[in-house]
Amino acid sequence: MSDHRTGGRSLRQLSTAAWVIAVVALLAGSLIVWSGFASLLDARTRVFETIGPARVAAQELRSSMLDQETGIRGYAITRDDRLLQPYTAGKATQARVAEEIRTSIAGDPSEPEVLAALDRVEAAMDDWRDSVADPLLDRPVDPAELDATFILSTAAFDEVRAELDSLEAILQEQRVAARVSLEDTTSRLVVSVGATLALFGVVAFGGSWILRRRVVEPVDHVVQAADAVAGGDLEYPIEVEGPAEIELLALRVSDMRDRIIQELAAVEASRVELAKRADELARSNADLEQFAYVASHDLQEPLRKVASFCQLLEQRYGDQLDERGRSYIEFAVDGAKRMQALIADLLEFSRMGRSTQAFVDCDFDALAREALRAHADDLLGAEVSVGGLPTVPGDPTLYRALLDNVIGNAIKYRTEGQPPSIALSAERDDDRWVFTCADQGIGIEPAYREKVFAVFQRLHGRGEFEGTGIGLALCKRIVEFSGGRIWIDEPADGVGTVVRWTLPVGQPTPPPSDLTPSPPPAATDPADVSAQPSPTTGSR
């Protein structure tokens, strides 16, 4: 696999650049909007909290001065002290309102001009007091002098009005300028918000375009290439231009594709070699099967002759032989028959399953009762129970042989002097059936419960029990051929033998058997006067 790394920008670099751009855009936009809001707040504050209150205070200042002039004029005519209350209240109001104006415009750009105008108003008012109000308060004035006093008061107060008009004009001018500034600031704020949104839009669109161009499309190309390779197009080009990580991913996918091609080539070569070996094995098995048939016939033929001629020898010359001679003949005949039985069992073991083409439904209950009928002579006085055996897919001939062997063993290995006791049962365990054949016989030691399934494995001598030692090996081969397993279990009460085997509930597919050769020709030797023994069942 190549270790080449691309020289393009990595996703980490792209993401870092995108993050920096986004942060800068966010800060710039926030700064612009914040500046606009700050200007708007300043303009609004100046309009509604500086100039506006000052104009209101100027109008109140005018009212307080008019109250003073009215109070002095009434006092001068009537000399009634009660009429001095507007003068006194107006004077106090004038001082308070003047202070409010100074406080309101403190720090405002118009502060010098407004204070100068306010000072002129207060100076004109002081002149009016000095020339009119204070003399009228100090001494009474003759009625003849009142007209002249009022004329003087009017002239002095006209100066006050003129200065008040000037102050209000200045405040009105400042108000108009502040409102214009507020409107301009509002417009700039709207523009700045729009510009910020536009900036965010440009950043978002640019980011999404870059993401699609530099990440999404290259990843799509890698996915398409992977889908094509997964679909069987192993020659599909995997070439992607994008960030370093995606290009490296495409390179790794390409390396993986190359390895898959190499492995497929190796698998195909192995498959061809395996098929070749399978053909050779099939031919070898066919040859071995044919050899087994022929060898069994060729081996049994001389054995039959030995047994037959020994029997003829005993029949014709038996009266001329002593007891030892007749024993020798019996030994020879027994050995020949046991050899015939052994050869027959081996042949049956080697042919197991060869003729099975397909599984059919097999009623184990019927097969068990059929096997029990075959052993009816050995079951006189026996305790036999068959409980609810199911129907299982398989080869009925093989299952019958299986039951013949386990029942035959239960009969053969019973406790001496007692009749056999056999219990056949089955129970469902998920997707398999578990069969049990329990007896009350001599049992099998735990150390030998695995060994008894080996070919020719016997736990007793021929003098104790007959058999070739193939029975349970044949059972194991039948069960495994049918998709199950077989074992010796511990008896519940510690007495006897419990054989259990499993078979699948569903129907497995048996391997096709096309290797079964034609049977050997039947024996035609005229000296064959003994019957051909059948395969031994029920043997451990």
Side-chain angles (χ1 to χ4, degrees), residues 61 65 68-69 87 94 102 115-134 152-167:
L61 181 64
M65 291 180 175
Q68 293 180 57
E69 196 272 340
Y87 172 79
Q94 174 189 339
R102 288 185 176 88
L115 291 181
L118 180 60
D119 290 341
R120 289 194 299 271
V121 170
E122 289 183 321
M125 194 65 181
D126 290 340
D127 291 343
W128 174 80
R129 286 195 195 93
D130 292 341
S131 61
V132 176
D134 289 341
L152 178 62
S153 175
T154 300
F157 209 81
D158 285 342
E159 287 291 327
V160 174
R161 287 192 179 92
E163 296 300 334
L164 284 171
D165 291 341
S166 176
L167 175 61

Side-chain angles (χ1 to χ4, degrees), residues 443-454 459 472 486-491 494-498:
I444 302 175
E445 293 295 330
Y448 300 104
R449 288 175 182 171
E450 290 294 331
K451 296 180 180 180
V452 295
F453 292 103
L459 303 182
L472 286 179
I486 187 171
W487 69 98
I488 305 296
D489 209 348
E490 181 69 27
V495 178
T497 302
V498 176

Side-chain angles (χ1 to χ4, degrees), residues 227-309:
D227 289 341
V229 172
D233 186 4
L234 299 180
E235 301 300 327
Y236 191 90
I238 306 178
E239 297 178 357
V240 176
E241 294 184 1
E245 291 87 350
I246 298 180
E247 291 185 2
L248 187 59
L249 174 62
L251 182 63
R252 294 294 183 259
V253 172
S254 179
D255 292 340
M256 188 183 303
R257 188 263 313 273
D258 295 340
R259 288 199 305 272
I260 290 174
I261 293 175
Q262 295 173 1
E263 291 175 0
L264 285 177
V267 168
E268 180 63 19
S270 299
R271 188 192 65 79
V272 172
E273 181 66 21
L274 182 61
K276 180 180 178 181
R277 296 294 178 85
D279 291 340
E280 294 176 356
L281 182 60
R283 288 192 297 268
S284 176
N285 284 341
D287 293 341
L288 288 175
E289 189 73 15
Q290 187 67 35
F291 172 78
Y293 274 103
V294 174
S296 64
H297 175 265
D298 291 344
L299 288 174
Q300 290 188 58
E301 183 63 23
L303 289 174
R304 284 196 295 269
K305 287 184 178 180
V306 169
S308 298
F309 281 106

Side-chain angles (χ1 to χ4, degrees), residues 258-506:
D258 295 340
R259 288 199 305 272
I260 290 174
I261 293 175
Q262 295 173 1
E263 291 175 0
L264 285 177
V267 168
E268 180 63 19
S270 299
R271 188 192 65 79
V272 172
E273 181 66 21
L274 182 61
K276 180 180 178 181
R277 296 294 178 85
D279 291 340
E280 294 176 356
L281 182 60
R283 288 192 297 268
S284 176
N285 284 341
D287 293 341
L288 288 175
E289 189 73 15
Q290 187 67 35
F291 172 78
Y293 274 103
V294 174
S296 64
H297 175 265
D298 291 344
L299 288 174
Q300 290 188 58
E301 183 63 23
L303 289 174
R304 284 196 295 269
K305 287 184 178 180
V306 169
S308 298
F309 281 106
C310 285
Q311 290 173 346
L312 288 174
L313 182 63
E314 183 180 13
Q315 291 174 6
R316 295 184 182 182
Y317 304 101
D319 54 352
Q320 300 178 23
L321 298 175
D322 58 9
E323 186 64 28
R324 179 173 294 182
R326 285 192 294 271
S327 297
Y328 291 163
I329 291 175
E330 290 177 3
F331 291 154
V333 172
D334 180 66
K337 288 183 177 180
R338 283 192 290 106
M339 181 61 76
Q340 284 180 299
L342 183 59
I343 292 172
D345 280 354
L346 282 175
L347 181 60
E348 182 68 18
F349 184 79
S350 67
R351 289 192 305 178
M352 195 284 300
R354 292 287 183 177
S355 60
T356 301
Q357 296 298 323
F359 284 165
V360 298
D361 289 337
C362 301
D363 185 353
F364 254 82
D365 190 271
L367 291 174
R369 297 186 186 281
E370 184 178 339
L372 289 170
R373 284 195 296 271
H375 294 277
D377 294 341
D378 299 321
L379 292 173
L380 295 175
E383 295 181 3
V384 179
S385 66
V386 179
L389 301 183
T391 297
V392 180
D395 187 328
T397 303
L398 299 181
Y399 287 163
R400 169 62 188 278
L402 170 64
L403 292 169
D404 277 342
N405 276 281
V406 295
I407 293 173
N409 279 343
I411 295 172
K412 182 190 302 184
Y413 297 102
R414 65 181 180 271
T415 302
E416 186 177 359
Q418 295 182 6
S421 176
I422 304 172
L424 286 169
S425 62
E427 61 180 7
R428 179 80 174 262
D429 181 14
D430 197 13
D431 59 347
R432 61 181 183 171
W433 286 103
V434 180
F435 292 83
T436 301
C437 179
D439 62 51
Q440 297 292 317
I442 62 175
I444 302 175
E445 293 295 330
Y448 300 104
R449 288 175 182 171
E450 290 294 331
K451 296 180 180 180
V452 295
F453 292 103
V455 180
F456 300 135
Q457 182 66 50
R458 293 176 54 86
L459 303 182
H460 307 88
R462 292 187 180 89
E464 297 180 80
F465 300 99
E466 296 181 356
T468 60
I470 296 180
L472 286 179
L474 181 63
C475 292
K476 180 178 181 181
R477 191 164 184 181
I478 291 172
V479 170
E480 291 179 350
F481 173 77
S482 303
R485 70 182 188 92
I486 187 171
W487 69 98
I488 305 296
D489 209 348
E490 181 69 27
D493 54 3
V495 178
T497 302
V498 176
V499 182
R500 299 189 193 276
W501 68 93
T502 63
L503 292 175
V505 173

Side-chain angles (χ1 to χ4, degrees), residues 181-223:
S181 176
L182 177 61
E183 292 174 357
D184 293 342
T185 304
T186 303
S187 299
R188 288 195 300 272
L189 177 61
V190 171
V191 172
S192 64
V193 170
T196 302
L197 293 177
L199 176 62
F200 288 164
V202 170
V203 171
F205 177 78
S208 62
W209 183 84
I210 293 174
L211 179 65
R212 179 178 180 82
R213 179 70 176 173
R214 299 292 295 169
V215 178
V216 176
E217 290 183 359
V219 170
D220 284 342
H221 291 326
V222 174
V223 171

